[in-house]
Amino acid sequence: MDLTPERSGYSWQQSWKLLRPVMINMVLTLCIWIGVYEGENDGNLFGLFLLNSKSEHTTGNDLLDGLINGMGSVVLICIVSFLILFLVMKNMKRLVILWISGSCVTVLFGVSGMLARDICEKYNVNHADLIVGVGTTIYGSLGYLVFFTSRTPLWFHQLYVITNCSIVSVFYLRMFPVYTAWFVLLFVIGWDWFAVLTPYGPLNLVQEKAADYSQDILKFLMFSAESCEQEQQNEAHLEDSSCDADIELEKSAFEDNIEQEDAATEAEPEEEPEKIEKQGEIQEEDVFPTPTAFDAFNDDRVRLGMGDFVFYGVLVGKAACSGSIVATAAAYIGVCVGLLLTLMVVFKRDDTVPALPNSIALGMLLHFGTLHLVEPCLISIGDHIIDLLD
């Protein structure tokens, strides 16, 4: 999440611009997770890599399996993060861009295709292969325009970010067996804190090289809640700079003419226009600076990382597996309240603040508190009232 050094905390209006898409993302994740997969994971999806009591690879205890899987998953996240950091620090821009853009293409055409196939199988759709092929091609092609070009409006990018993150959330929910997702979420809280806030965190260090990359790379990484006003600022700056450049050129030409009249033998008139032209080119280059990722990190737009959307979706999806509507709603509310606290209270404009810890911690706390404390108490009170009435 990027910040600007003006004041602490976002206003309610700015926070709502991020809270609303997060809420939509979680609802969409629940619709797919429950409507298509009925809240059941697929133990065979990554059975060779994760411990699962339903397969041959298991410790014999679901909790221990989940703990080991959670630790292994977060370690994998750490390895990938530091590997990308290494590529960034070594100025391997092409590999970094290839990695990030390749991940986007995989979701657009691969993971979305898997979901489309599962939907067709779930509802016994005729000509499923044709529908999956055409649907995935259309979805992926439009997504390519969204992420790889500047031809689409901001709302279209926002729509694709919400949809893609929901698809990835459901993919993880399908992949993680039993308790694994809970341990992953628990360890992610600590990882996000380390990665963003500590001096040696990869997300903290990578910002030092952000000026080497165009701001377009953030399309693959972040949700932007506001449209970019940089073009308008550049246009205004261009007009002012153009006037200044014209004045400087006229002044320079006037001074050159005086020097030519006073010392005709020392001046070289044919070279002066070239010098003036070169000065104009240099000034013109300064007028058209290419916006970098560093500039984007320090502008006034409200952003949220796509990984935050994904793990929010995983949390509410896993909460829904409990079968309790109240406990699922509690997790949903916990994420929203935690995000608001992060944006409006914890948030500091001169620092980068992790968006996962507060939301995930509060969401898990409210979910398990409701599931194991509040609901049993309510049920007990209800039964007692019924007994009194009888």
Side-chain angles (χ1 to χ4, degrees):
M1 188 184 302
D2 58 286
L3 319 165
T4 52
E6 294 181 359
R7 51 190 171 83
S8 297
Y10 280 130
S11 65
W12 162 251
Q13 291 77 10
Q14 290 175 307
S15 300
W16 174 246
K17 292 179 181 179
L18 280 183
L19 180 62
R20 181 173 53 189
V22 167
M23 294 171 66
I24 295 173
N25 169 259
M26 291 190 291
V27 170
L28 179 59
T29 300
L30 286 173
C31 290
I32 299 173
W33 177 230
I34 303 300
V36 179
Y37 299 107
E38 298 180 355
E40 297 181 358
N41 69 295
D42 185 357
N44 298 322
L45 192 60
F46 279 88
L48 296 178
F49 304 97
L50 296 173
L51 298 176
N52 187 358
S53 59
K54 297 180 180 179
S55 68
E56 298 178 357
H57 306 282
T58 179
T59 62
N61 184 288
D62 286 336
L63 275 175
L64 185 56
D65 284 348
L67 175 62
I68 296 174
N69 290 336
M71 292 177 62
S73 299
V74 174
V75 167
L76 182 60
I77 293 174
C78 297
I79 293 174
V80 172
S81 299
F82 279 107
L83 180 57
I84 295 177
L85 175 63
F86 173 80
L87 297 177
V88 171
M89 292 301 181
K90 294 299 181 180
N91 294 319
M92 300 181 183
K93 296 181 183 179
R94 292 184 179 180
L95 285 178
V96 174
I97 295 174
L98 179 63
W99 188 314
I100 296 174
S101 60
S103 301
C104 179
V105 171
T106 300
V107 175
L108 289 174
F109 291 95
V111 183
S112 65
M114 293 172 59
L115 174 61
R117 181 202 61 194
D118 293 339
I119 292 175
C120 290
E121 290 181 356
K122 168 71 176 179
Y123 296 101
N124 297 318
V125 178
N126 296 326
H127 309 291
D129 292 339
L130 178 61
I131 293 175
V132 170
V134 173
T136 302
T137 301
I138 294 174
Y139 181 82
S141 299
L142 291 176
Y144 183 88
L145 293 176
V146 168
F147 291 101
F148 290 87
T149 71
S150 301
R151 302 175 184 175
T152 55
L154 176 65
W155 67 266
F156 211 16
H157 178 265
Q158 294 174 335
L159 177 63
Y160 259 84
V161 170
I162 293 172
T163 305
N164 280 0
C165 290
S166 293
I167 293 174
V168 174
S169 296
V170 173
F171 177 80
Y172 285 149
L173 288 167
R174 288 280 286 166
M175 179 182 70
F176 292 143
V178 197
Y179 301 111
T180 298
W182 290 120
F183 284 105
V184 170
L185 290 170
L186 188 62
F187 291 135
V188 159
I189 294 175
W191 164 251
D192 199 37
W193 179 86
F194 168 81
V196 176
L197 295 181
T198 63
Y200 300 103
L203 297 182
N204 189 17
L205 292 174
V206 78
Q207 294 187 37
E208 299 177 2
K209 304 289 289 185
D212 296 338
Y213 294 84
S214 169
Q215 68 172 356
D216 292 337
I217 198 173
L218 297 183
K219 282 185 176 182
F220 302 100
L221 303 172
M222 308 192 81
F223 175 95
S224 179
E226 298 173 329
S227 60
C228 182
E229 300 177 356
Q230 189 67 34
E231 294 181 1
Q232 297 178 356
Q233 295 175 358
N234 284 343
E235 290 177 359
H237 179 64
L238 173 60
E239 295 178 359
D240 295 337
S241 300
S242 298
C243 294
D244 294 340
D246 292 338
I247 294 173
E248 291 295 330
L249 288 175
E250 292 176 1
K251 181 178 179 181
S252 177
F254 177 77
E255 293 176 352
D256 289 338
N257 289 334
I258 295 177
E259 292 178 0
Q260 291 172 12
E261 292 175 358
D262 293 342
T265 58
E266 297 179 359
E268 296 180 5
E270 296 180 356
E271 296 181 1
E272 293 304 319
E274 296 179 0
K275 293 180 180 179
I276 295 174
E277 184 178 354
K278 291 180 180 179
Q279 291 176 359
E281 291 177 355
I282 294 174
Q283 291 175 351
E284 188 172 348
E285 291 177 358
D286 294 338
V287 171
F288 291 94
T290 302
T292 67
F294 180 82
D295 298 327
F297 275 123
N298 290 277
D299 64 19
D300 291 330
R301 286 192 288 174
V302 186
R303 293 186 178 88
L304 189 67
M306 293 186 189
D308 300 328
F309 281 88
V310 171
F311 286 111
Y312 294 157
V314 171
L315 173 56
V316 295
K318 196 60 184 175
C321 294
S322 66
S324 170
I325 297 177
V326 177
T328 302
Y332 186 95
I333 294 172
V335 170
C336 296
V337 174
L339 181 59
L340 284 177
L341 288 174
T342 301
L343 294 174
M344 301 180 69
V345 180
V346 181
F347 202 51
K348 294 181 180 179
R349 289 294 184 114
D350 54 349
D351 288 318
T352 302
V353 176
L356 283 177
N358 291 330
S359 296
I360 297 298
L362 189 57
M364 293 178 65
L365 180 63
L366 290 183
H367 169 70
F368 287 111
T370 301
L371 184 64
H372 297 292
L373 294 177
V374 176
E375 273 197 325
C377 289
L378 292 177
I379 292 174
S380 177
I381 293 172
D383 292 340
H384 183 66
I385 293 175
I386 292 175
D387 292 339
L388 291 176
L389 293 177
D390 291 340

